[in-house]
Amino acid sequence: SESEDKLATSLVRQEGIGALLDALKRLQDAQRHTIFLKFFRGLNDHEIAEQLATSAGHVRVLRFRGLAQLRRDPHLREYFERDGASMPL
């Protein structure tokens, strides 16, 4: 979705890429893989589903939950609030 794309773009452009990588490590493996394949590899849901041997619907659920966890991550929130940037919710 557009808000997911904005979140990924906003996070990648920040100098705090280390904070993002640390937060990604705290996600469940499947959530991290779906986010990585979508935003860093540019795969669509069907391509991700094929790689993970699951359905495209399950990929969307995993990505939604992973992004929700990133939005709630206190380390990321602290970084964005400290730098005056806003993180789309």
Side-chain angles (χ1 to χ4, degrees):
S1 80
E2 186 175 314
S3 65
E4 292 172 348
D5 292 342
K6 286 181 181 180
L7 173 63
T9 300
S10 176
L11 290 173
V12 171
R13 287 186 179 165
Q14 299 299 319
E15 291 178 0
I17 192 74
L20 172 60
L21 294 175
D22 289 342
L24 285 168
K25 290 176 188 174
R26 291 188 288 274
L27 296 178
Q28 293 176 6
D29 288 343
Q31 293 171 342
R32 183 175 49 256
H33 292 309
T34 59
I35 290 170
F36 175 79
L37 292 172
K38 172 73 174 180
F39 297 112
F40 294 90
R41 286 278 181 92
L43 301 182
N44 66 42
D45 292 343
H46 295 287
E47 293 167 327
I48 296 168
E50 191 174 294
Q51 285 201 13
L52 299 180
T54 191
S55 70
H58 190 232
V59 165
R60 286 188 288 276
V61 168
L62 289 169
R63 187 176 63 245
F64 175 84
R65 290 178 180 167
L67 289 172
Q69 187 172 330
L70 290 176
R71 287 182 191 104
R72 292 188 307 268
D73 188 292
H75 299 95
L76 289 180
R77 185 168 299 284
E78 178 182 306
Y79 174 79
F80 283 103
E81 287 172 357
R82 182 183 66 232
D83 287 347
S86 64
M87 183 166 48
L89 301 174

